[in-house]
Amino acid sequence: MPCFCEIPASAARNRFQVGAIPILPPIPLSLKLAAALPALDPENRIDLQIAATLDPMVMPNLDMGGGGLANIAMMLSLMTGTFAIDDLPQLELQMQQAGESITRNVWPRLGWLTQLKIQPLIAYSIVARLVIDLREMGLDPFHAMESPPTPYFDSFSLALTRPQFRMAQLMGGLPQILAMNAAFDLPPLGEPGSISGLQNRLHGLASLTPPSLIIPMPLLQKLAMVLEALATIEEAFGPDGFSPNTLSRIQAMLRLWASFKIGLPLGALTLANKLAMLPSFEDLKLGESAASSTALAGLASFSPPRLAIAPFLNVALALHGSLQMALDMEPFDMCALCPC
């Protein structure tokens, strides 16, 4: 059963030695652009791949429930393997145990982290993520003598129109809808009973009530964000990420990059952000194949119900992911060793 065990919670409490949260200067645009370069290369731009290979066809209406069905499918796909989404009594029991374990194990040991100022911590973690990304590109930002060379191309416009961009996002979500249908052990979409079966399963989930928590949900969300930020900072700078020596080196690095000339137009960052919002090319092609068939015809007018358990499941997922990131272990895998 899902349980945020005492051992992982204690390990996370003992792992991070947080000092004063630094107030860093603004991140230089040259540093952001350097990290964005791979996404801007024509060979890696997924919008150019989509524009070149997308079949010229009239697509069906995919804006199912205003995109709500795709959002539900994404959430449930992430929960598969952790929560029994296909067994309502078991799911209720699991949510109750997870809620009790958050209250008993996680909050007493890690709740103090929510007292940290979140904005400067997130800003610090963004610098850490840029450092990690640049190192993966083979560039050490601490020892750079000059900014990366300007690429040979100078066009940074999105190849897709706004409707095409939206269509690509919707098609990229279709594989998760198909996977959700399979997780519910329903007939493939398009076969008799598949749409009604999916509707019944979702309405069953909509009938569930989340467990009551004494800790406000926003605080638990903040806790997950803080854990992820601390883990990112440690990955980039080691256990001494808050030491005066490390912070001095980071501030010197930021001053160095602020002195570099910007070799790319600022629109490149906007394009990089848009490219990051596109699904993988494989998911998009799979979604295109599904959308071009008759399997999804019945979903065009399907409006998914509101799931009251969604906020709790999202918080549980966020805590699960942040603890896994912080400890490099599954927070649910130690239940045999703790007094649940």
Side-chain angles (χ1 to χ4, degrees):
M1 293 182 185
C3 173
F4 292 89
C5 306
E6 177 179 345
I7 293 175
S10 297
R13 177 188 61 189
N14 298 330
R15 176 162 186 168
F16 298 113
Q17 302 297 320
V18 183
I21 308 297
I23 305 297
L24 297 176
I27 301 174
L29 290 175
S30 55
L31 189 66
K32 295 180 181 179
L33 286 168
L37 282 178
L40 302 177
D41 191 296
E43 294 182 357
N44 297 325
R45 281 182 51 177
I46 190 172
D47 62 324
L48 296 177
Q49 300 176 43
I50 294 171
T53 62
L54 196 61
D55 291 339
M57 56 182 293
V58 178
M59 305 298 291
N61 174 23
L62 298 179
D63 197 15
M64 295 162 289
L69 186 59
N71 292 335
I72 289 176
M74 175 177 288
M75 181 192 69
L76 294 181
S77 67
L78 293 173
M79 290 297 168
T80 301
T82 300
F83 289 95
I85 62 172
D86 59 340
D87 186 335
L88 297 187
Q90 180 70 3
L91 177 59
E92 281 191 299
L93 181 62
Q94 290 178 330
M95 288 193 299
Q96 185 64 37
Q97 181 167 355
E100 292 176 357
S101 185
I102 289 172
T103 302
R104 183 176 65 247
N105 295 331
V106 175
W107 188 252
R109 293 169 175 81
L110 301 177
W112 64 274
L113 290 173
T114 59
Q115 299 174 16
L116 300 177
K117 294 182 178 180
I118 189 66
Q119 291 302 328
L121 183 64
I122 294 298
Y124 189 15
S125 72
I126 292 174
V127 173
R129 174 49 55 190
L130 288 172
V131 169
I132 293 169
D133 291 344
L134 289 171
R135 284 173 175 167
E136 290 178 350
M137 294 166 51
L139 174 64
D140 187 346
F142 285 95
H143 297 93
M145 300 305 295
E146 58 183 9
S147 59
T150 302
Y152 61 87
F153 56 96
D154 57 7
S155 175
F156 297 102
S157 60
L158 189 70
L160 304 175
T161 65
R162 182 174 295 181
Q164 288 174 325
F165 182 79
R166 176 61 177 156
M167 184 65 71
Q169 289 181 306
L170 290 170
M171 284 193 295
L174 290 182
Q176 293 172 329
I177 295 177
L178 300 176
M180 176 178 65
N181 206 64
F184 285 141
D185 196 23
L186 297 173
L189 290 176
E191 293 189 5
S194 60
I195 301 299
S196 61
L198 178 60
Q199 188 171 18
N200 289 337
R201 288 300 184 93
L202 291 178
H203 279 286
L205 290 173
S207 69
L208 299 182
T209 301
S212 299
L213 293 172
I214 62 172
I215 308 106
M217 202 74 71
L219 279 182
L220 292 176
Q221 292 171 336
K222 181 180 179 180
L223 175 58
M225 292 174 62
V226 169
L227 281 170
E228 181 177 350
L230 291 175
T232 302
I233 292 167
E234 185 182 77
E235 181 182 354
F237 308 122
D240 298 326
F242 292 90
S243 69
N245 180 57
T246 299
L247 295 177
S248 176
R249 290 180 62 232
I250 293 171
Q251 290 171 340
M253 178 198 70
L254 295 176
R255 287 194 299 269
L256 172 68
W257 280 84
S259 69
F260 291 153
K261 293 182 179 180
I262 300 175
L264 297 175
L266 298 185
L269 284 178
T270 302
L271 174 59
N273 291 335
K274 289 182 178 179
L275 295 179
M277 295 174 61
L278 285 170
S280 70
F281 189 66
E282 291 75 15
D283 280 350
L284 188 136
K285 293 302 291 182
L286 181 60
E288 179 189 8
S289 175
S292 62
S293 69
T294 60
L296 301 176
L299 287 178
S301 59
F302 178 68
S303 181
R306 178 184 174 275
L307 302 185
I309 60 175
F312 174 83
L313 291 179
N314 282 328
V315 164
L317 179 66
L319 284 173
H320 176 275
S322 60
L323 278 170
Q324 184 182 29
M325 182 178 178
L327 302 175
D328 194 24
M329 63 182 291
E330 290 285 351
F332 297 143
D333 70 355
M334 301 289 287
C335 290
L337 301 181
C338 74
C340 300

